[in-house]
Amino acid sequence: MKEVLRLPAKRSCTTFKIIGKSIPRLDGIPKATGVAGYIDDYDLPGHWVGGIVRSGVPHGILRGFVKDPSFDWSKVTFLTASDIPGGNFIHIVRDDYPALTEKYVKYATEALALIAAPDAETLRAALDAVKPEIDRLPAALTLDEGLEANVKVWGEDNILDEYRVACGDLEKGFAESDVVVEGTYETGLQEQMYLETQGAAAIPLPDGGMEVILSLQCPYYVHNAVVQVLGLPKDKVVVRQAETGGGFGGKEDYSSMMGAWAALLAWKSGHAVKLVYDRKEDLETTPKRHPSRIRQKMGFRKDGALVAMEADLLLDGGAYTTLTRVILQRATLHATGAYRVPNAMIRGRAIATNTPPTGAFRGFGAPQVFFAVERNMDKAAKILGMDPLDLRLRNVIRDGDLMPHNQRLEEGVSAEAVLLRAAELSGYREKRAAYSARQADGLTRGGRARRGIGLSVVMHGGGFTGSGEDNMGTTVRLDYKDGLFRVLCSSVDMGQGSATVLPMIAAEALGIEVEFVRALPADTDVVPDSGPTVASRTTMFVGAAVYDACRNMTEKLQKYLCEENGGKLTVLDAARAFAARNGEGKLSAEGIYKGPKPASHANPWNDEKFSGDAYKGYSWLATVVELEADTDTYEAVPAHVTAVAEIGRVIHPTLAEGQLAGGILQSLGWAHIEDLSITPEGRYSTSRMSSYLVPTTLDTPGWTIEIMENPCPAGAFGAKSLGELPCNGGAPAFLSALDNALGVFAEKIPAGGEYLFGLLNPKLP
Ligand code: MTE
Ligand code: MOS
């Protein structure tokens, strides 16, 4: 196990018994041995299977359905919008997303009707035997077509949402600048590619209620969606988590659709219904990362000081809001990057187009804006004649700085520390100089392979944006049953490790071995609402609620701890004594997230002004990518990545390193091989893993990962967020390394061979 580096201590370093140790993950053995039950493994006797009739056209008016009379429709259940017993919408941020379209078709894979059949073959025959009748309308398929608003997709202007952040005096800032550097940067769609595809099962209950089991991130989101479409009281719907084979944001909103559709079919057919996508349907229809186009304009003094920044960012939200509003908020608030900017103006807009709604993907709007800000920094470094590292060091945000959205960071700013350490560990300076020299030799001399090295510095605000964490009411229950303390919450383990990390926090807080603590899978009949598993919030905020529950538990047991054995009992002994006296299953305690006392510099978030303390802690990451580029094929392969992160407190070093490596790899895939666009028919350009390439182990670089600690008062044992941070940094570092290897400045990703070739050979047709 690698040592965790500690920053010069601002607070004394506590010694822990369990925190900071890489114990075997508690869900590891069942997953490795195939015992763990994913939704498709569930054996539901006599269940039917569900399928979806889709629009097939990007924009139009639904007139009805033509059903082939030669098919025996009595064998199946067919369900359209008019059958829905409750509200015809999936509750997310706005309720604009219909469960099933009534009239206006807005994208090509839109759900118009549902079918349930006793078996897969009958389902396929039924799906083939029905065709929607749609009068086609012209479609807006690109950001520009959306902006022009000749075709109305959403409201009058196709603007789903707009936010602004400003500080200082922009005009004055640019007037004081010696050099102004501008660029327009574009990023593409990206698929989450969780190992397990989307899936749900719904089982009608004898009392008229509904049980829904899914692969998911947010049990109570799904619960709410099912309650709405079925029009049932809350206590008649139960949502249970099946083992979840990855989400990466993709199961944040879409599980609500899956759950609602499966529940509708189960309700109408009276059978248990499974709706499980194969990879093709999953790739064709589920939300991807928002494509973006960002114009960046920065003003610098000759010495490299950043004095002004103007950014105009556009995200393509697709046909409905889904999570776009909150993704745009995060994007707008992170748009100035990890830099101090005295005069800034950020305008963020999300545009509606006739394309499948885009959604959450690890990073949640931040990767796009970091791509733009880091690219423009590299461009500026070149123009100013500075090394990209020096320009960054000159401008990184430091303790005491005020961010453009009016949040003062008094402490816990580690941008400089991670940058310096990553540069040192990777040998950045020497390599950058050596590779530049070789590049200057010309591309044809000395073999085809060219090396390059580049870096980025990014941060990520932990938890919900704005006052989200204060208003969430994050609640956790801890109980004692069969000799174990059980952590009950709606946060799920989807591979990121919460089923290990939350019990570690509880064991540390209770002063017992972790083998006596378990986290239960989420089940809305049993677990309180600790919020959704999103925004990298679990360890930091749900962990803090777990800690609070442990404190309340210890208090409850105080009598036993003191009275018996002269106060020498452990919490575990006390719990046993409690159970012996009061009966099994009687011991439980709740905990909530309540933030630390507001600091003297606190500036509570103001929704109307869209300013104030947007996050309770920022995590920091420097990523150095070293790659090898082929000057014949323009293929570029990452060879080694050095990542240095500061995430408050490290609970489980191995899991934390895994989060960093995995997220950076996803970011590298986005940067150069994951290529997905929208066809003229409004569909994704591919639905196969043979043409949508994600990094495999063969595309994985070597790793040097180091984690720094700088405990944050808001999080459990000082933890900050980690899960999404790495997705912000890989792509810009990769492109910076491409500059160094080939002398080419790429402004969009994926930066595949053809695009690079075009940049290097601009005169070729
Ligand atoms: N890691 C794995 N293995 N699988 C996942 O699905 N999702 C990511 C990240 N890391 C994910 C993951 C996303 S999008 C988020 S928001 C966080 O984990 C959520 O988990 P956390 O709150 O425990 O960080
Ligand atoms: Mo993560 S994108 O917040 O699920």
Side-chain angles (χ1 to χ4, degrees), residues 636-710:
V637 182
H640 198 90
V641 170
T642 303
V644 179
E646 189 267 279
I647 56 168
R649 173 82 67 204
V650 186
I651 309 295
H652 189 299
T654 299
L655 283 175
E657 282 177 26
Q659 283 294 299
L660 288 167
I664 290 170
L665 196 58
Q666 280 181 313
S667 181
L668 294 177
W670 184 50
H672 75 130
I673 55 174
E674 297 187 30
D675 197 353
L676 195 64
S677 54
I678 298 287
T679 68
E681 281 298 289
R683 295 171 157 276
Y684 294 129
S685 53
T686 173
S687 57
R688 287 167 205 289
M689 289 184 74
S690 54
S691 43
Y692 184 79
L693 303 179
V694 292
T696 66
T697 44
L698 296 178
D699 309 295
T700 302
W703 299 100
T704 302
I705 295 178
E706 213 170 78
I707 304 177
M708 293 177 172
E709 290 196 318
N710 195 0

Coordinates of all heavy atoms in Angstrom, one line a residue, residues 636-710:
A636 N -2.7 8.4 -31.1 CA -2.0 8.8 -29.9 C -2.4 7.9 -28.7 O -3.6 7.7 -28.5 CB -2.3 10.3 -29.6
V637 N -1.5 7.3 -28.0 CA -1.8 6.4 -27.0 C -1.2 6.9 -25.7 O 0.0 7.1 -25.6 CB -1.2 5.0 -27.3 CG1 -1.6 4.0 -26.2 CG2 -1.7 4.5 -28.7
P638 N -2.0 7.0 -24.6 CA -1.4 7.4 -23.3 C -0.5 6.4 -22.8 O -0.8 5.2 -22.8 CB -2.6 7.6 -22.4 CG -3.7 6.8 -23.0 CD -3.5 6.8 -24.5
A639 N 0.7 6.8 -22.4 CA 1.7 5.8 -21.9 C 1.8 5.8 -20.4 O 1.8 4.7 -19.8 CB 3.1 6.2 -22.5
H640 N 1.7 7.0 -19.8 CA 1.8 7.0 -18.4 C 1.0 8.2 -17.8 O 1.0 9.3 -18.5 CB 3.3 7.1 -17.9 CG 3.4 6.7 -16.5 ND1 3.7 5.5 -16.1 CD2 3.3 7.5 -15.3 CE1 3.7 5.4 -14.7 NE2 3.5 6.6 -14.3
V641 N 0.4 8.0 -16.7 CA -0.4 9.1 -16.1 C 0.1 9.3 -14.7 O 0.2 8.3 -13.9 CB -1.9 8.9 -16.2 CG1 -2.6 9.9 -15.3 CG2 -2.4 9.0 -17.6
T642 N 0.4 10.5 -14.3 CA 0.7 10.8 -12.9 C -0.5 11.7 -12.4 O -0.8 12.7 -13.0 CB 2.0 11.6 -12.8 OG1 3.0 10.8 -13.4 CG2 2.4 11.9 -11.4
A643 N -1.1 11.3 -11.3 CA -2.2 12.0 -10.8 C -1.9 12.3 -9.3 O -1.6 11.4 -8.5 CB -3.5 11.2 -10.9
V644 N -2.1 13.5 -8.9 CA -1.9 13.9 -7.5 C -3.2 14.6 -7.1 O -3.6 15.6 -7.7 CB -0.7 14.8 -7.2 CG1 -0.6 15.1 -5.7 CG2 0.6 14.0 -7.6
A645 N -3.9 14.1 -6.1 CA -5.2 14.6 -5.7 C -5.2 15.0 -4.2 O -4.5 14.4 -3.5 CB -6.3 13.6 -6.0
E646 N -6.0 16.0 -3.9 CA -6.2 16.3 -2.5 C -7.7 16.2 -2.3 O -8.5 16.9 -2.9 CB -5.7 17.7 -2.2 CG -5.7 18.0 -0.7 CD -6.9 18.7 -0.2 OE1 -7.1 19.9 -0.4 OE2 -7.8 18.0 0.3
I647 N -8.1 15.2 -1.4 CA -9.5 14.9 -1.3 C -9.9 14.9 0.2 O -10.8 14.2 0.6 CB -9.8 13.5 -1.9 CG1 -8.9 12.4 -1.3 CG2 -9.7 13.6 -3.4 CD1 -9.4 11.0 -1.6
G648 N -9.2 15.8 1.0 CA -9.6 15.9 2.4 C -9.0 14.8 3.2 O -7.9 14.9 3.7
R649 N -9.8 13.8 3.5 CA -9.3 12.6 4.2 C -9.5 11.4 3.3 O -10.6 11.2 2.7 CB -10.1 12.5 5.5 CG -9.8 11.2 6.3 CD -8.6 11.3 7.1 NE -8.8 12.3 8.2 CZ -7.8 12.9 8.8 NH1 -6.6 12.7 8.5 NH2 -8.1 13.8 9.8
V650 N -8.5 10.5 3.3 CA -8.6 9.3 2.5 C -9.2 8.2 3.4 O -8.5 7.9 4.4 CB -7.3 8.8 2.0 CG1 -7.4 7.6 1.1 CG2 -6.6 10.0 1.2
I651 N -10.3 7.7 3.1 CA -10.9 6.7 4.0 C -10.3 5.3 3.6 O -9.9 4.5 4.4 CB -12.5 6.6 3.8 CG1 -13.1 8.0 4.0 CG2 -13.1 5.6 4.7 CD1 -12.9 8.6 5.4
H652 N -10.3 5.0 2.3 CA -9.8 3.7 1.8 C -8.8 3.9 0.6 O -9.3 4.2 -0.5 CB -11.0 2.9 1.4 CG -10.7 1.5 1.1 ND1 -9.8 1.1 0.1 CD2 -11.2 0.3 1.6 CE1 -9.8 -0.2 0.0 NE2 -10.6 -0.7 0.9
P653 N -7.5 3.9 0.9 CA -6.6 4.3 -0.2 C -6.7 3.5 -1.5 O -6.7 4.2 -2.6 CB -5.2 4.0 0.5 CG -5.5 4.1 2.0 CD -6.9 3.6 2.2
T654 N -6.9 2.2 -1.4 CA -7.0 1.5 -2.7 C -8.2 1.8 -3.5 O -8.1 2.0 -4.7 CB -6.9 0.0 -2.4 OG1 -5.7 -0.3 -1.7 CG2 -7.0 -0.9 -3.7
L655 N -9.3 1.9 -2.8 CA -10.6 2.4 -3.5 C -10.4 3.8 -4.1 O -10.8 4.1 -5.2 CB -11.8 2.3 -2.6 CG -12.3 0.9 -2.3 CD1 -13.5 1.0 -1.3 CD2 -12.8 0.3 -3.6
A656 N -9.8 4.6 -3.3 CA -9.6 6.0 -3.8 C -8.7 6.1 -5.0 O -9.0 6.7 -6.0 CB -9.0 6.9 -2.7
E657 N -7.6 5.3 -5.0 CA -6.7 5.2 -6.2 C -7.5 4.7 -7.4 O -7.3 5.1 -8.5 CB -5.5 4.3 -5.9 CG -4.5 5.0 -5.1 CD -3.3 4.1 -4.8 OE1 -3.1 3.1 -5.5 OE2 -2.6 4.3 -3.7
G658 N -8.3 3.7 -7.1 CA -9.2 3.1 -8.2 C -10.1 4.1 -8.8 O -10.3 4.2 -10.0
Q659 N -10.7 4.9 -7.9 CA -11.6 6.0 -8.4 C -10.8 7.0 -9.3 O -11.3 7.4 -10.4 CB -12.2 6.8 -7.2 CG -13.4 6.0 -6.5 CD -14.6 5.9 -7.5 OE1 -15.2 6.8 -7.9 NE2 -14.9 4.6 -7.8
L660 N -9.6 7.3 -8.9 CA -8.8 8.3 -9.7 C -8.4 7.7 -11.0 O -8.7 8.3 -12.1 CB -7.6 8.7 -8.9 CG -7.9 9.6 -7.7 CD1 -6.7 9.8 -6.8 CD2 -8.3 11.0 -8.2
A661 N -7.9 6.4 -11.0 CA -7.5 5.8 -12.3 C -8.7 5.6 -13.2 O -8.6 6.0 -14.4 CB -6.8 4.5 -12.0
G662 N -9.8 5.1 -12.7 CA -10.9 4.8 -13.5 C -11.5 6.1 -14.1 O -11.8 6.1 -15.3
G663 N -11.6 7.2 -13.3 CA -12.2 8.4 -13.9 C -11.3 9.1 -14.9 O -11.7 9.6 -15.9
I664 N -10.0 9.0 -14.6 CA -9.0 9.6 -15.6 C -9.1 8.8 -16.9 O -9.1 9.4 -18.0 CB -7.6 9.6 -15.0 CG1 -7.5 10.7 -13.9 CG2 -6.6 10.0 -16.1 CD1 -6.3 10.7 -13.1
L665 N -9.2 7.5 -16.8 CA -9.3 6.7 -18.0 C -10.5 7.0 -18.8 O -10.5 7.1 -20.1 CB -9.3 5.2 -17.6 CG -9.0 4.2 -18.8 CD1 -7.6 4.5 -19.4 CD2 -9.0 2.8 -18.3
Q666 N -11.7 7.2 -18.1 CA -12.9 7.6 -18.8 C -12.7 9.0 -19.6 O -13.1 9.2 -20.7 CB -14.1 7.7 -17.9 CG -14.7 6.4 -17.5 CD -15.8 6.5 -16.6 OE1 -15.8 7.2 -15.6 NE2 -16.9 5.8 -16.9
S667 N -11.9 9.8 -18.9 CA -11.7 11.2 -19.5 C -10.8 11.0 -20.7 O -10.9 11.7 -21.7 CB -11.1 12.1 -18.4 OG -10.8 13.3 -18.9
L668 N -9.8 10.1 -20.6 CA -8.9 9.9 -21.8 C -9.7 9.3 -23.0 O -9.4 9.7 -24.1 CB -7.7 9.0 -21.4 CG -6.8 9.6 -20.3 CD1 -5.7 8.5 -20.0 CD2 -6.1 10.8 -20.8
G669 N -10.6 8.4 -22.7 CA -11.4 7.8 -23.7 C -12.2 8.9 -24.4 O -12.3 9.0 -25.7
W670 N -12.8 9.8 -23.7 CA -13.5 10.9 -24.2 C -12.7 11.8 -25.1 O -13.1 12.3 -26.1 CB -14.0 11.7 -23.0 CG -14.9 12.9 -23.2 CD1 -16.1 12.9 -23.9 CD2 -14.8 14.2 -22.5 NE1 -16.7 14.2 -23.8 CE2 -15.9 14.9 -23.0 CE3 -13.9 14.7 -21.6 CZ2 -16.1 16.2 -22.5 CZ3 -14.1 16.0 -21.2 CH2 -15.2 16.8 -21.6
A671 N -11.4 11.9 -24.7 CA -10.4 12.8 -25.3 C -10.1 12.3 -26.7 O -9.8 13.1 -27.6 CB -9.2 13.0 -24.5
H672 N -10.0 11.0 -26.9 CA -9.4 10.6 -28.2 C -10.1 9.4 -28.9 O -9.9 9.3 -30.1 CB -7.9 10.4 -28.1 CG -7.4 9.2 -27.4 ND1 -6.5 8.4 -28.0 CD2 -7.8 8.6 -26.3 CE1 -6.3 7.3 -27.2 NE2 -7.0 7.5 -26.1
I673 N -10.8 8.5 -28.2 CA -11.4 7.4 -29.0 C -12.9 7.3 -29.0 O -13.5 6.6 -29.8 CB -10.7 6.1 -28.6 CG1 -10.9 5.8 -27.1 CG2 -9.3 6.0 -29.0 CD1 -10.4 4.4 -26.7
E674 N -13.5 7.9 -28.0 CA -15.0 7.7 -27.9 C -15.7 8.7 -28.8 O -15.8 9.9 -28.5 CB -15.4 7.8 -26.4 CG -14.8 6.8 -25.5 CD -15.3 6.7 -24.1 OE1 -16.5 7.1 -23.9 OE2 -14.5 6.4 -23.2
D675 N -16.2 8.2 -29.9 CA -16.7 9.0 -31.0 C -18.1 8.7 -31.2 O -18.5 7.6 -31.7 CB -15.8 8.7 -32.3 CG -16.0 9.8 -33.3 OD1 -16.9 10.7 -33.1 OD2 -15.3 9.8 -34.3
L676 N -19.0 9.7 -30.9 CA -20.4 9.5 -31.1 C -21.0 10.8 -31.6 O -20.7 11.9 -31.0 CB -21.0 9.1 -29.7 CG -22.4 8.5 -29.7 CD1 -22.4 7.2 -30.5 CD2 -22.9 8.3 -28.3
S677 N -21.8 10.7 -32.6 CA -22.5 12.0 -33.1 C -23.9 11.7 -33.4 O -24.4 10.6 -33.2 CB -21.7 12.5 -34.3 OG -21.6 11.5 -35.3
I678 N -24.6 12.7 -33.9 CA -26.0 12.6 -34.2 C -26.2 12.5 -35.7 O -25.6 13.3 -36.5 CB -26.8 13.8 -33.7 CG1 -26.7 13.9 -32.1 CG2 -28.3 13.8 -34.2 CD1 -27.6 12.8 -31.4
T679 N -26.9 11.5 -36.2 CA -27.1 11.3 -37.7 C -28.2 12.3 -38.1 O -28.9 12.8 -37.3 CB -27.6 9.9 -38.0 OG1 -28.9 9.7 -37.4 CG2 -26.6 8.8 -37.4
P680 N -28.3 12.4 -39.5 CA -29.4 13.3 -40.0 C -30.8 12.8 -39.6 O -31.7 13.6 -39.6 CB -29.2 13.2 -41.5 CG -27.7 12.9 -41.7 CD -27.4 12.0 -40.5
E681 N -30.9 11.6 -39.2 CA -32.2 11.0 -38.7 C -32.4 11.3 -37.2 O -33.3 10.8 -36.6 CB -32.3 9.5 -39.0 CG -32.6 9.3 -40.5 CD -34.0 9.8 -40.8 OE1 -35.0 9.3 -40.4 OE2 -34.0 10.8 -41.6
G682 N -31.4 12.0 -36.6 CA -31.6 12.3 -35.2 C -31.2 11.2 -34.2 O -31.6 11.2 -33.1
R683 N -30.5 10.2 -34.7 CA -30.1 9.0 -33.9 C -28.6 9.1 -33.6 O -27.8 9.8 -34.2 CB -30.3 7.7 -34.6 CG -31.8 7.5 -34.9 CD -32.0 6.3 -35.8 NE -33.3 5.8 -35.6 CZ -33.6 4.9 -34.7 NH1 -32.7 4.4 -33.8 NH2 -34.9 4.5 -34.5
Y684 N -28.2 8.4 -32.6 CA -26.7 8.3 -32.3 C -26.1 7.5 -33.4 O -26.7 6.6 -34.0 CB -26.5 7.5 -31.0 CG -27.0 8.3 -29.8 CD1 -27.8 7.7 -28.8 CD2 -26.7 9.6 -29.6 CE1 -28.3 8.3 -27.7 CE2 -27.1 10.3 -28.4 CZ -27.9 9.7 -27.5 OH -28.3 10.3 -26.4
S685 N -24.9 7.9 -33.8 CA -24.2 7.4 -34.9 C -23.8 5.9 -34.8 O -23.5 5.3 -35.8 CB -22.9 8.2 -35.3 OG -22.1 8.3 -34.1
T686 N -23.8 5.4 -33.6 CA -23.5 4.0 -33.5 C -24.2 3.4 -32.3 O -24.5 4.1 -31.3 CB -22.0 3.7 -33.4 OG1 -21.9 2.2 -33.1 CG2 -21.3 4.4 -32.3
S687 N -24.5 2.1 -32.4 CA -25.1 1.4 -31.2 C -24.4 0.2 -30.9 O -24.9 -0.8 -30.4 CB -26.6 1.1 -31.6 OG -26.7 0.3 -32.7
R688 N -23.1 0.1 -31.3 CA -22.3 -1.1 -31.1 C -21.0 -0.7 -30.4 O -20.4 0.3 -30.7 CB -22.0 -1.7 -32.4 CG -23.2 -2.4 -33.0 CD -22.9 -2.8 -34.4 NE -24.2 -2.9 -35.1 CZ -25.1 -3.9 -34.9 NH1 -24.8 -4.9 -34.1 NH2 -26.2 -3.9 -35.6
M689 N -20.6 -1.6 -29.5 CA -19.3 -1.4 -28.9 C -18.1 -1.7 -29.8 O -17.0 -1.4 -29.5 CB -19.1 -2.3 -27.7 CG -20.0 -1.9 -26.5 SD -19.8 -2.9 -25.0 CE -18.3 -2.2 -24.5
S690 N -18.4 -2.3 -31.0 CA -17.3 -2.5 -32.0 C -17.0 -1.2 -32.7 O -15.9 -1.0 -33.3 CB -17.7 -3.6 -33.0 OG -19.0 -3.2 -33.6
S691 N -17.9 -0.2 -32.7 CA -17.5 1.1 -33.3 C -17.5 2.2 -32.3 O -16.9 3.2 -32.6 CB -18.5 1.4 -34.5 OG -19.8 1.1 -34.1
Y692 N -18.2 2.1 -31.2 CA -18.0 3.1 -30.1 C -17.0 2.5 -29.2 O -17.2 1.6 -28.4 CB -19.3 3.3 -29.4 CG -19.1 4.4 -28.3 CD1 -19.1 5.7 -28.7 CD2 -18.9 4.1 -27.0 CE1 -18.9 6.7 -27.7 CE2 -18.7 5.1 -26.0 CZ -18.7 6.4 -26.4 OH -18.4 7.4 -25.5
L693 N -15.7 3.0 -29.3 CA -14.6 2.4 -28.6 C -14.4 3.0 -27.2 O -14.3 4.3 -27.1 CB -13.4 2.5 -29.4 CG -13.4 1.9 -30.8 CD1 -12.1 2.1 -31.6 CD2 -13.8 0.4 -30.8
V694 N -14.4 2.2 -26.2 CA -14.0 2.8 -24.9 C -12.6 2.1 -24.5 O -12.3 1.1 -25.1 CB -15.0 2.4 -23.8 CG1 -16.3 3.1 -24.0 CG2 -15.2 0.9 -23.7
P695 N -11.9 2.8 -23.7 CA -10.6 2.2 -23.3 C -10.7 0.8 -22.7 O -11.6 0.6 -21.9 CB -10.0 3.2 -22.3 CG -10.8 4.5 -22.5 CD -12.1 4.1 -23.0
T696 N -9.8 -0.1 -23.1 CA -9.8 -1.4 -22.5 C -8.5 -1.4 -21.7 O -7.7 -0.4 -21.7 CB -9.7 -2.5 -23.6 OG1 -8.5 -2.3 -24.3 CG2 -10.9 -2.4 -24.5
T697 N -8.2 -2.5 -21.1 CA -6.9 -2.6 -20.4 C -5.7 -2.3 -21.3 O -4.7 -1.8 -20.9 CB -6.7 -4.0 -19.7 OG1 -7.0 -5.0 -20.7 CG2 -7.5 -4.2 -18.5
L698 N -5.9 -2.7 -22.6 CA -4.8 -2.4 -23.5 C -4.6 -1.0 -23.8 O -3.5 -0.6 -24.3 CB -5.1 -3.2 -24.9 CG -5.2 -4.7 -24.8 CD1 -5.5 -5.3 -26.1 CD2 -3.9 -5.3 -24.2
D699 N -5.6 -0.1 -23.6 CA -5.4 1.3 -23.8 C -5.1 2.0 -22.5 O -5.1 3.2 -22.4 CB -6.7 1.9 -24.4 CG -7.2 1.1 -25.6 OD1 -6.5 1.1 -26.6 OD2 -8.3 0.5 -25.5
T700 N -4.8 1.2 -21.5 CA -4.6 1.8 -20.1 C -3.2 2.1 -19.9 O -2.3 1.3 -20.1 CB -5.2 0.9 -19.1 OG1 -6.5 0.6 -19.3 CG2 -5.0 1.5 -17.7
P701 N -2.9 3.4 -19.5 CA -1.5 3.7 -19.3 C -0.9 3.2 -18.0 O -1.7 2.6 -17.2 CB -1.5 5.3 -19.2 CG -2.9 5.6 -18.7 CD -3.8 4.5 -19.3
G702 N 0.3 3.3 -17.7 CA 0.9 3.1 -16.4 C 0.4 4.2 -15.4 O 0.1 5.3 -15.9
W703 N 0.5 4.0 -14.2 CA -0.1 5.0 -13.2 C 0.9 5.3 -12.1 O 1.6 4.4 -11.6 CB -1.3 4.5 -12.5 CG -2.5 4.1 -13.4 CD1 -2.8 2.9 -13.9 CD2 -3.4 5.1 -14.0 NE1 -3.9 3.0 -14.7 CE2 -4.3 4.3 -14.8 CE3 -3.5 6.5 -14.0 CZ2 -5.3 4.9 -15.5 CZ3 -4.6 7.0 -14.7 CH2 -5.4 6.3 -15.5
T704 N 1.0 6.6 -11.8 CA 1.6 7.0 -10.5 C 0.5 7.9 -9.9 O 0.2 8.9 -10.4 CB 2.9 7.8 -10.8 OG1 3.8 7.0 -11.5 CG2 3.5 8.2 -9.5
I705 N 0.0 7.4 -8.8 CA -1.1 8.1 -8.1 C -0.7 8.4 -6.7 O -0.2 7.6 -5.9 CB -2.4 7.3 -8.1 CG1 -2.8 7.1 -9.6 CG2 -3.5 8.0 -7.3 CD1 -4.1 6.2 -9.7
E706 N -0.9 9.7 -6.3 CA -0.6 10.0 -4.9 C -1.7 10.9 -4.4 O -2.3 11.7 -5.2 CB 0.7 10.8 -4.9 CG 1.5 10.6 -3.6 CD 2.9 11.2 -3.7 OE1 3.0 12.4 -3.5 OE2 3.8 10.4 -3.9
I707 N -2.1 10.7 -3.2 CA -3.2 11.4 -2.6 C -2.7 12.2 -1.4 O -2.0 11.7 -0.5 CB -4.3 10.4 -2.2 CG1 -4.7 9.6 -3.4 CG2 -5.5 11.2 -1.7 CD1 -5.8 8.5 -3.1
M708 N -3.1 13.5 -1.4 CA -2.8 14.3 -0.2 C -4.0 14.5 0.7 O -5.1 14.5 0.2 CB -2.4 15.7 -0.7 CG -1.1 15.7 -1.5 SD -0.8 17.4 -2.1 CE 0.8 17.2 -2.8
E709 N -3.7 14.7 1.9 CA -4.8 14.9 2.9 C -4.8 16.3 3.4 O -3.8 16.9 3.6 CB -4.7 14.0 4.0 CG -5.0 12.5 3.7 CD -5.3 11.7 4.9 OE1 -4.6 11.8 5.9 OE2 -6.2 10.8 4.8
N710 N -6.0 16.9 3.5 CA -6.2 18.2 4.0 C -7.6 18.3 4.6 O -8.5 18.7 3.8 CB -6.0 19.3 2.9 CG -5.8 20.6 3.5 OD1 -5.8 20.9 4.7 ND2 -5.6 21.6 2.6

